[in-house]
């Protein structure tokens, strides 16, 4: 089983250390840090599982810290990696946040939790809910310092902006705030080929729940009626009606063990007793008929005035519904090494109708910069409303005369973005019902949120 | 209130202050103090001197305080068992506390104290807790049995704890079931391969586990699935039953559950395939259900993806149908980490088929234009491998490669040329038309592999390249500066050119090359090859043509294929384990050592080692080591005296100093590696005089340039003798790879009736390494070096930096150092050096080293013995033996004497009866029966011997004998 577990700070200091079997020397944390920092094969990252001198190291990184487990046995690596992830979740649930600071401020609590979670290297009960009865220490809730500066939805997966310990629900002093967050989080992977058609596209989504409801009342959630799940509902393949695009089709999905799916196949409702803390009620993926939120067109032309210059024109269409908008959009255009300098002109050709605002306002929302070392042109937007269209004209100064090969040497163009309150798969929560019969006045806060972000959104050229 | 503040105090009188606070009557203050102690402990400060004070806080009804004290104890229980045992009375009392939380805490903590003495106090509470009413206590107690087993296996068996664990498998609480199962699995592993089957999986247990599967936590589910995968059933009905229950697990969120479930189902598929109908429909249906969950794993975090991909790589080799239509999901995303991209490429190549090759090629071409050089190279290679694997797609692949060459990016062009060479070798005489394009890019070649590939192409197709001689001549200009790879290829290509187009310029070139290669080079390979060509050309040019221009065998893409028997083992036994990630059998990296259990009289010694181990390089070999160990032991003895007398905690630090003088008299309980080396060094301060006696060993040879054997005699004579040639050196298995340090290769062999360790030590450090000594730990055969000093035949016995020293260490058998059964081939070796400290490595004693030359017997005696001996142990080894004669030869070479051979008419099998004798470890005469079908996989082996545990030894050792590896 697991021989040791430790949490390392970004500088390699041990913040938390537990030794279970005693068959790996204490110095292993240094061996690990050296090897992960300077991985021998090229400059790539160390793989998540590697072996040095008969000791297998398994590690993940989250919140700036590294969680490491060592073993000498031939156990299941995904078992250990999943377990490390779970420890992250538990720390987040109890300390409100996972960071070096949060752990240092809650050392005793973290040790107490670890003692319950692992015994002699065997994972025990890891449910946030169950652990509550064994924990006697008080948390020191830490919100990240940078939080105020960032928008509500950063690129992280999972509900953000809630930094609260699950132990709050046991408070009786009236300051308790009962609430439940249900987030539909989707990440898009999409590749467009050079002619602008989709080469591959996939949405990975999850229904994440973070519950702070005292007494754990049962809840009921309803999803779209027109939801079809590939192998479950259409074992013989999908027929024409589903490919028309009026239904939401999922390729595969899985559910958390608390989900009661008795009526799911009938009316798409899931009933559950949500345990405290954060968990994914449902994970799904789909490749079917969703509309990509962005389209891009790249053209490369010679400059008639100088053979050492070229003009690259990027045209970007934001195709989300007009009432939504993308935030933090970044377009990355790699350029070849022989590009010396770049200068760009920005304009939004057709600002979207209605509230799109005057053209000048649109320009203020955008910016560009060119990284000469990395040969990377970046086009950034603060906000990008649905239905809008933007153009960037970049004048490239070249070290050698313009050639037709420049066309294929620019790109592939990558996009990064977050679209709040939008689900690319069109999956939706029709209602969220908290079933608590006894008390009519019990009306906890309910938050249902959607967020779609890019995972890998690439235009090939 | 935050714990952060506990870290802030760094004052000098801190410890004293804490002591005061711990004694305070004010509870919050006390609590605060314990928290400070824990914070100090975390940052690595030694707060063990506060032990008595902290333990005094333990007797409280405040749960929070009690838990804090336990937290402190559990930490020191591991590293300072001598201290922890002082608290044993409180533990025993707490184990009867009305609060289940406290009962469990007590048992949990007690199990962590690794002192044999603890067992006396632990057994009764453990027995009680295993039967506790509260499931939380029961599940904690179950784990504790595994802890106790690690300290004292006999006790666990005597007290019937194993039976209790087995009973717990039918406990009503799934958590208890999972922990009992995990404990049994752990104990099974600790007992080693020779241990008896603890789980005793019957239909009944099987049903229990299947029932618990749905109720368990995800971690428990993995334990259950792993034991299901280990369940060896032959009954297709059983397999179907298991699979039906396991299939729903594929929907689980936890990737570990999914992978373990996949492993069980793959196992079941194998069993179903044995059934009367072949189970094709069932297998098809299961495969269909397996694909989507496997694909879903790729949406997880990169770490989980990586593990999944390494497993999928194995699955698609074994059962390609499962993911045949899913190649698209393995396309790389631009933000995948490199390690994920590389694995995805590998799987894309495996899944490429005539149907999807266009799609795959399009992707690969995109990757070949990305920024990351390693990735780009691998993508170009992938295109080549697709071409070699798929005949119909070759032309398309070549077109893509040509397009890539047009980009003129140097490393892309070079990589493309390397793979095109492979394509030519696979499809000779089909695609020469593209040679012209390749020749346009000669200038960009600067890597040896690309250069030699291009040279090979020119030589091979010299007759169709008009200016082949000019091209080669251009390469030859830099002949002396090239790497040996390119030189060899140039030599061969020039000879080919000369044989194909014997023009004047070719003649000039050949004589220049031959004279350069024979007179002006240090490289023996190049020189030898040049001599061969020279002699061939001068005696019989026609024969030379037959030799040099002979038809070459067509290659296949096997660059990353695994050995079939390894693949089989990885898929059916080790899927979803670390072995499946490394693609290596677990024996090669699992180095599970049983921890030495501290006996009360060694407590101090252990403490010392532990401190020492943390300083790299400094080892117990210090002259003071034994003295200190003895001293500390004496100190510990006194603390044990006080064990039950809590009122008077002996101040620990004073004792060692007082007892230092007792050192020489201190009994040495352990005959282990470190002790052996330590005492050795005590004999003399400097590297001892003993080295002279050992360096008389005539076989020890320092590697270097091999003795140049002249080729004028016609053929190269192999570098014979017991000394090792560089080639032989490089064939030795690596025991300890330590780039930048000292690496060890070696093998145990039998030479002239003696077991000899052939070792090669590579010194990659910047300085010479000397003072080499070797010692082995106690082992099943009592093997130990005849002389501990390694005889390195250089001045001062030092290995110069950057060189390899070969050493031959004769081993003796010392009956007194034989470990008790079960037999294990494991051999733990320590190698001491003055510069880099002590190196440890594990080796396995091969069967062929143990079997004696005189171990044969009369056929009649064999028959009598076969009847007289206890029933045989049988196993089926996943090997393929080409023919009975080969098998006989190989057996004989390993001193396994074949007494009879017959054909079994009913099954078409060959049956071979053989015998061998192993004196080492008191094994005695071993009788074997091997049955196999020549050429087909699977050898049935039956073994009979006086001792039952010999069978496993033979099963482990036979494969290497039969494969001729020994």
């Amino acid at each position: 089983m697991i021989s040791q577990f430790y949490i390392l700070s970004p500088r390699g200091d041990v913040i938390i250390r537990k030794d279970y079997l005693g068959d790996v020397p204490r110095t292993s944390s240094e061996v690990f840090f050296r090897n992960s920092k300077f991985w021998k094969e090229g400059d790539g990252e160390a793989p998540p599982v590697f072996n040095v001198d008969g000791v297998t190291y398994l590690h993940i990184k989250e919140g700036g810290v590294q969680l490491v487990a060592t073993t000498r046995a031939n156990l299941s690596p995904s078992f250990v990696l999943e377990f490390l992830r779970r420890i992250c979740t538990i720390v987040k649930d109890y300390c409100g946040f996972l960071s070096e600071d949060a752990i240092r401020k809650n050392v005793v609590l973290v040790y107490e939790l670890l003692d319950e979670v692992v015994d002699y290297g065997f994972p025990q009960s890891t449910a946030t809910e169950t652990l509550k009865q064994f924990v006697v220490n008080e948390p020191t809730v830490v919100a990240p310092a940078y939080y105020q500066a960032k928008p509500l939805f950063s690129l992280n997966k999972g509900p953000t902006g809630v930094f609260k310990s699950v132990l709050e629900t046991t408070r009786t002093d009236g300051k308790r705030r009962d609430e439940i967050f249900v987030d539909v989080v989707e990440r898009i992977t999409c590749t467009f080929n050079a002619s602008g058609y989709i080469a591959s596209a996939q949405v990975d989504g999850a229904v994440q729940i973070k519950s702070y409801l005292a007494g754990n009342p049962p809840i009921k959630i309803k999803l779209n009626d027109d939801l079809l799940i590939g192998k479950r509902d259409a074992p013989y393949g999908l027929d024409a009606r589903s490919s028309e695009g009026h239904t939401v089709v999922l390729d595969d999905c899985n559910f958390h063990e608390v989900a009661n799916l008795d009526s799911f196949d009938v009316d798409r409702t899931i009933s559950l007793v949500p345990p405290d803390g954060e968990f994914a009620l449902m994970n799904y993926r789909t490749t079917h008929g969703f509309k990509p939120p962005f389209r891009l067109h790249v053209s490369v032309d010679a400059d008639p005035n100088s053979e050492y210059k070229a003009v690259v024109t990027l045209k970007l269409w934001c195709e989300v519904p007009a009432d939504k908008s993308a935030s933090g959009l970044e377009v990355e255009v790699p350029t070849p090494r022989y590009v010396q300098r770049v200068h760009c002109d920005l304009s939004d050709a057709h600002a979207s109708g209605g509230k799109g605002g005057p053209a000048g306002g649109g320009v203020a929302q955008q910016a560009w910069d060119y990284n000469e070392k990395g040969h990377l042109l970046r086009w950034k937007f603060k906000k990008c409303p649905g239905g809008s269209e933007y153009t960037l004209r970049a004048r490239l100064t070249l070290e050698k005369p313009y050639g037709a090969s420049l066309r294929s040497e620019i790109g592939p163009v990558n996009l990064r973005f977050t679209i709040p309150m939008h689900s690319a798969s069109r999956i939706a929560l029709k209602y969220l019902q908290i079933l608590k019969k006894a008390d009519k006045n019990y009306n906890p806060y309910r938050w249902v949120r959607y967020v779609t972000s890019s995972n890998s959104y690439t235009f090939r050229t | 209130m935050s714990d952060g503040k506990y870290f802030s105090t760094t004052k000098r009188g801190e410890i004293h202050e804490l002591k005061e606070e711990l004694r305070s009557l004010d509870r919050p203050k006390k609590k605060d103090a314990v928290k400070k102690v824990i914070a100090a402990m975390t940052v690595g400060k030694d707060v063990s001197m506060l032990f008595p004070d902290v333990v005094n806080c333990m007797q409280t009804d405040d749960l929070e305080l009690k838990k804090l004290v336990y937290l402190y104890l559990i930490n020191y229980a591991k590293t300072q068992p001598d201290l922890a045992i002082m608290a044993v009375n409180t533990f025993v009392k707490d184990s009867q506390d009305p609060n289940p939380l406290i009962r469990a805490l007590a048992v949990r903590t007690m199990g962590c104290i690794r002192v044999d003495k603890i067992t006396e106090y632990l057994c009764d509470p453990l027995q009680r807790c295993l039967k506790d009413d509260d499931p939380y206590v029961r599940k904690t107690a179950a784990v504790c049995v595994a802890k106790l087993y690690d300290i004292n296996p006999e006790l666990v068996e005597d007290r019937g704890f194993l039976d209790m664990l087995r009973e717990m498998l039918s406990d009503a609480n799934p958590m208890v079931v999972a922990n009992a199962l995990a404990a049994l699995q752990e104990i099974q592993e600790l007992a080693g391969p020779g241990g008896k089957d603890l789980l005793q999986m019957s239909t009944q247990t099987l049903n229990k586990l299947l029932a618990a599967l749905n109720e368990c936590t995800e971690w428990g589910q993995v334990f259950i699935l792993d034991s299901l995968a280990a369940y060896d059933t032959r009954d297709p009905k059983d397999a179907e039953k298991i699979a039906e229950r396991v299939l729903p697990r594929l929907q689980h969120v936890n990737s570990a559950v999914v992978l373990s479930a996949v492993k069980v189902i793959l196992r079941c598929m194998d069993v179903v395939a044995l059934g009367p109908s072949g189970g094709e429909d069932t297998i098809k249906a299961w495969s269909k259900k397996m694909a989507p969950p496997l694909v879903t794993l790729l949406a997880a975090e990169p770490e989980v993806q990586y593990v999944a991909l390494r497993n999928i790589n194995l699955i698609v080799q074994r059962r390609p149908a499962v993911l045949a239509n899913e190649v698209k999901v393995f396309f790389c995303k631009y933000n995948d980490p490199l390690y994920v991209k590389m694995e995805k490429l590998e799987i894309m190549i495996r899944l490429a088929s005539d149907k999807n090759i266009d799609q795959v090629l399009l992707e690969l071409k995109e990757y070949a234009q990305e920024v990351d050089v390693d990735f780009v190279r691998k993508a170009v290679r992938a295109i080549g491998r697709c071409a070699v694997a798929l005949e119909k797609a070759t032309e398309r692949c070549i077109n893509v490669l040509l397009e890539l060459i047009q980009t003129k990016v140097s490393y892309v062009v070079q990589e493309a040329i390397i793979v095109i060479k492979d394509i030519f070798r696979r499809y000779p005489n089909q695609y020469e038309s593209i040679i012209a394009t390749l020749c346009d890019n000669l200038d960009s070649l600067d890597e040896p592999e690309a250069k030699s590939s291009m040279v090979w192409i020119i030589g091979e197709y010299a007759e169709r390249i008009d200016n082949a001689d000019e091209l080669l001549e251009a390469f030859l200009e830099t002949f002396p500066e090239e790497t040996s790879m390119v030189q060899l290829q140039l030599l061969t290509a020039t000879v080919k050119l000369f044989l194909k187009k014997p023009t004047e310029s070719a003649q000039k070139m050949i004589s220049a090359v031959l004279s350069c290669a024979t007179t002006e080079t240090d490289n023996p390979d190049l020189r030898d090859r040049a001599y061969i060509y020279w002699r061939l050309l001068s005696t019989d040019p026609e024969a030379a043509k037959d030799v040099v221009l002979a038809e070459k065998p067509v290659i296949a893409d096997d660059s990353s294929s695994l050995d079939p028997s390894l693949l089989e083992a990885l898929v059916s036994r080790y899927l979803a384990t670390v072995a499946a990630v490394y693609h290596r059998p677990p024996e090669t990296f699992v180095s599970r050592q049983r921890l030495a259990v501290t006996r009360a009289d060694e407590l101090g010694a252990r403490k010392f080692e532990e401190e020492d181990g943390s300083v790299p390089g400094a080892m117990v070999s210090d002259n003071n080591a034994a003295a200190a160990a003895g001293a500390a032991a004496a100190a510990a003895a006194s603390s044990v005296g006080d064990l039950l007398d809590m009122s008077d905690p002996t101040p620990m630090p004073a004792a060692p100093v007082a007892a230092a003088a007792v050192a020489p008299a201190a009994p040495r309980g352990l005959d282990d590696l470190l002790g052996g080396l330590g005492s050795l060094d005590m004999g003399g301060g400097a590297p001892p005089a003993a080295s002279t006696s050992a360096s008389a060993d005539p076989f020890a040879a320092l590697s270097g340039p091999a003795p140049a054997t002249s080729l004028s005699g016609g053929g190269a004579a192999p570098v014979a003798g017991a000394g090792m040639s560089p080639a032989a050196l490089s064939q030795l298995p690596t025991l300890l790879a330590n780039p930048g340090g000292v690496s060890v290769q070696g093998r145990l062999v039998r030479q002239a009736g003696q077991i000899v360790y052939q070792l090669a030590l590579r010194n990659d450090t910047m300085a010479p390494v000397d003072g080499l000594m070797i010692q082995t730990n106690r082992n099943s055969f009592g093997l130990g070096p005849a002389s501990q000093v390694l005889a390195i035949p250089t001045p001062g016995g030092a290995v110069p930096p950057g060189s390899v020293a070969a050493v031959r260490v004769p081993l003796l058998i010392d009956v007194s150092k034989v470990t008790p059964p079960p037999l294990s081939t494991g051999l733990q070796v320590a190698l001491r050096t003055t510069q880099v400290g002590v190196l440890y490595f594990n080796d396995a004693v091969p069967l062929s080293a143990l079997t004696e030359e005189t171990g044969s017997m009369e056929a009649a005696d064999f028959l009598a013995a076969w009847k007289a001996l206890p029933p045989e142990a049988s196993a089926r080894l996943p090997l393929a033996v080409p023919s009975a004669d080969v098998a006989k030869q190989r057996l004989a070479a390993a001193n396994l004497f074949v007494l009879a051979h017959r054909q079994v008419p009913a099954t078409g099998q060959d049956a071979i009866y053989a015998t061998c004798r192993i004196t080492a470890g008191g094994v005695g005469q071993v009788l074997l029966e091997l049955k196999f079908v020549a050429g087909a996989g699977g050898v049935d082996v039956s073994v009979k011997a006086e001792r039952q545990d010999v069978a496993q030894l033979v099963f482990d050792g036979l494969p290497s004998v039969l494969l001729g590896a020994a």
Side-chain angles (χ1 to χ4, degrees), chain A residues 5 7 15-18 20 83 87 90-91 94-95 102-120 122 124-128 130-140 165-167, chain B residues 1 3 6 31 34-35 38-39 41-42 62-75 99 101-102 104-105 108-109 136 139-140:
Chain A
F5 166 78
I7 302 182
I15 314 175
I16 295 281
R17 182 204 302 274
K18 284 297 270 182
Y20 296 111
F83 179 63
I87 293 180
I90 293 172
V91 172
Y94 279 86
C95 306
I103 295 172
R104 282 200 192 276
K105 287 196 168 123
N106 290 287
V107 167
V108 179
L109 176 62
V110 172
Y111 270 123
E112 191 179 17
L113 286 167
L114 279 176
D115 272 345
E116 291 305 330
V117 166
V118 200
D119 189 6
Y120 197 53
F122 299 115
Q124 302 292 304
S125 173
T126 52
T128 303
T130 335
L131 286 171
K132 259 163 96 177
Q133 50 183 309
F134 305 118
V135 171
V136 294
N137 274 288
E138 289 280 321
T140 308
S165 170
V166 289
L167 293 169
Chain B
M1 185 182 71
D3 294 345
Y6 302 122
K31 252 188 233 176
V34 182
K35 282 189 184 175
I38 290 169
M41 188 172 85
T42 314
D62 183 332
L63 189 59
E64 187 182 354
L65 183 56
K66 206 173 195 97
K67 285 198 79 171
L68 287 172
V69 175
Y70 267 106
L71 200 64
Y72 173 88
L73 284 176
I74 225 164
N75 192 56
N99 185 341
L101 226 65
I102 295 179
L105 259 179
R108 189 164 75 199
T109 313
Y136 180 72
K139 70 132 194 166
T140 312

Side-chain angles (χ1 to χ4, degrees), chain B residues 75-105:
Chain B
N75 192 56
Y76 279 113
K78 265 267 129 67
T79 55
Q80 313 225 332
D82 46 340
L83 292 177
I85 205 158
M86 289 159 68
V88 82
N89 278 346
T90 324
F91 286 136
V92 175
K93 207 171 130 225
D94 278 356
S95 74
Q96 281 159 301
D97 195 280
N99 185 341
L101 226 65
I102 295 179
R103 292 203 295 275
L105 259 179

Side-chain angles (χ1 to χ4, degrees), chain B residues 364-678:
Chain B
L364 291 175
K365 194 179 145 197
E366 285 290 338
Y367 304 159
Q369 291 164 315
E370 286 203 13
V371 192
D372 190 317
V373 178
D374 285 342
F375 183 55
V376 169
R377 282 177 186 272
K378 182 115 180 178
V380 178
R381 286 244 164 162
I383 298 174
R385 282 172 60 191
C386 286
V388 171
L390 301 171
E391 189 165 0
K392 283 188 194 151
T394 315
E395 190 142 2
R396 277 170 279 174
C397 296
I398 289 180
N399 286 337
V400 172
L401 287 172
L402 288 178
E403 280 176 53
L404 290 173
I405 289 177
Q406 297 308 332
T407 63
K408 306 268 180 196
V409 179
S410 152
Y411 52 83
V412 174
V413 174
Q414 308 208 41
E415 208 64 38
I417 286 180
I418 294 170
V419 300
I420 286 177
K421 174 207 67 184
D422 288 339
I423 296 176
F424 282 170
R425 290 218 48 190
R426 173 69 180 80
Y427 311 104
N429 305 323
Q430 287 186 35
Y431 299 103
E432 294 78 55
S433 51
I434 64 171
I435 292 176
T437 322
L438 303 185
C439 291
D440 292 342
N441 290 284
L442 295 183
D443 307 337
S444 56
L445 303 183
D446 52 15
E447 290 163 27
E449 201 184 350
K451 257 189 189 174
S452 60
S453 298
M454 192 64 223
V455 172
W456 182 86
I457 293 174
I458 297 175
E460 189 66 18
Y461 296 100
E463 72 273 29
R464 310 197 198 171
I465 307 173
D466 296 336
N467 57 345
D469 44 353
E470 288 166 31
L471 294 174
L472 270 185
E473 206 160 8
F475 277 108
L476 284 172
E477 277 168 18
T478 52
F479 184 80
E481 291 94 58
E482 295 292 355
T483 59
S484 64
M485 185 190 213
V486 182
Q487 286 179 328
L488 285 168
Q489 212 48 258
L490 271 172
L491 175 63
T492 308
T494 320
V495 174
K496 281 182 189 163
L497 173 75
F498 174 71
L499 290 172
K500 288 180 174 175
K501 283 199 212 164
T503 58
E504 203 173 309
S505 69
Q507 183 139 23
K508 231 187 266 164
M509 275 157 70
I510 188 95
S511 53
V513 170
L514 285 177
S515 79
C516 182
T518 49
T519 56
E520 288 167 36
T521 174
D522 301 334
N523 183 341
D525 284 345
L526 180 65
R527 192 172 51 215
D528 291 356
R529 195 188 281 192
Y531 272 123
I532 295 177
Y533 284 141
W534 200 325
R535 226 181 137 69
L536 263 175
L537 290 171
S538 56
T539 40
D540 185 354
E542 278 311 306
K545 248 183 201 171
D546 288 346
V547 172
V548 179
L549 305 180
E551 212 157 283
K552 280 168 265 314
V554 167
I555 59 161
D557 174 33
D558 53 1
S559 46
S560 59
S561 293
L562 295 167
D563 173 62
S565 64
L566 176 61
L567 176 66
E568 178 64 36
L570 286 176
V571 173
S572 63
R573 286 169 61 197
Y574 301 123
L575 201 75
T577 68
V578 175
V581 171
Y582 298 153
H583 290 184
R584 272 159 48 194
E587 303 86 78
T588 57
F589 62 90
V590 167
S591 52
R592 181 115 201 212
Q593 301 140 344
R594 284 264 333 253
L595 271 186
V597 174
T598 326
R599 268 169 251 145
D601 54 345
E602 290 162 1
L603 278 176
R606 208 183 124 61
K607 197 167 123 198
F608 180 84
E609 281 173 33
E610 205 128 316
E611 282 162 15
D612 221 45
S614 62
V615 187
M619 282 313 296
V620 199
S621 54
D622 219 307
N623 277 350
N624 304 332
S638 71
S639 85
V640 173
D642 288 321
L643 202 57
L644 301 173
D645 191 5
M646 289 300 298
S647 59
D648 176 24
T650 314
M652 290 302 296
V657 186
V662 200
R668 306 189 60 83
L670 276 181
D671 181 4
D672 74 305
L673 307 166
L674 300 170
L677 284 177

